[in-house]
Amino acid sequence: MTSVSEGAAELPRPGIAVPPGERGATRIADRVVAKIASQAAREALGALPPDASRPHASVVVHHDTARVRISLDLGYPSDVGRQCASVRRHVTQRVSALVGMEVHEVALHVERLHPVAVPGVAQGRTQ
């Protein structure tokens, strides 16, 4: 017959939940969250003008919350406010869904507006 020494730790049995204080933690690097935010911004914008740069994000993570800053180029003429609102909403949803973090702020910096040819509108200078 075998006995268990009194000082030995017991392993959790299958089907028994481990208390939250005894579980491990996963930390997701800021640069990973930034890549997810950049891709989400790209998804929200759709087709970019040919000479536009891809969105670039920087992120500050504190506990389970993120603050995101995104630099991007937009086509013009367009509804800039609507596009920015769409990017903010999509970035917040994707980061929350993929990483499990709350996004408290999505600050956008529009680097450049790129002229886009609009059918039926004359291009060039007018006098």
Side-chain angles (χ1 to χ4, degrees):
M1 183 161 116
T2 62
S3 66
V4 177
S5 66
E6 292 183 30
E10 290 185 34
L11 295 175
R13 289 176 277 165
I16 296 177
V18 177
E22 295 179 21
R23 296 181 198 154
T26 301
R27 184 179 185 300
I28 299 172
D30 294 7
R31 65 187 174 93
V32 172
V33 180
K35 286 182 180 185
I36 291 169
S38 295
Q39 180 59 34
R42 175 72 182 90
E43 291 168 2
L45 290 173
L48 292 174
D51 55 343
S53 299
R54 295 181 62 121
H56 173 75
S58 60
V59 175
V60 175
V61 175
H62 186 66
H63 299 290
D64 288 334
T65 63
R67 296 191 186 276
V68 181
R69 301 207 181 282
I70 300 175
S71 298
L72 47 85
D73 293 356
L74 298 175
Y76 188 80
S78 66
D79 186 346
V80 174
R82 183 185 54 75
Q83 284 185 313
C84 289
S86 174
V87 169
R88 282 187 187 100
R89 186 173 40 257
H90 194 69
V91 167
T92 300
Q93 290 171 350
R94 295 296 285 166
V95 169
S96 179
L98 295 174
V99 183
M101 290 182 183
E102 287 185 45
V103 179
H104 283 242
E105 175 186 358
V106 178
L108 300 180
H109 180 78
V110 178
E111 293 281 336
R112 278 175 266 155
L113 296 174
H114 296 271
V116 177
V118 178
V121 176
Q123 299 293 315
R125 300 180 81 185
T126 58
Q127 294 188 3

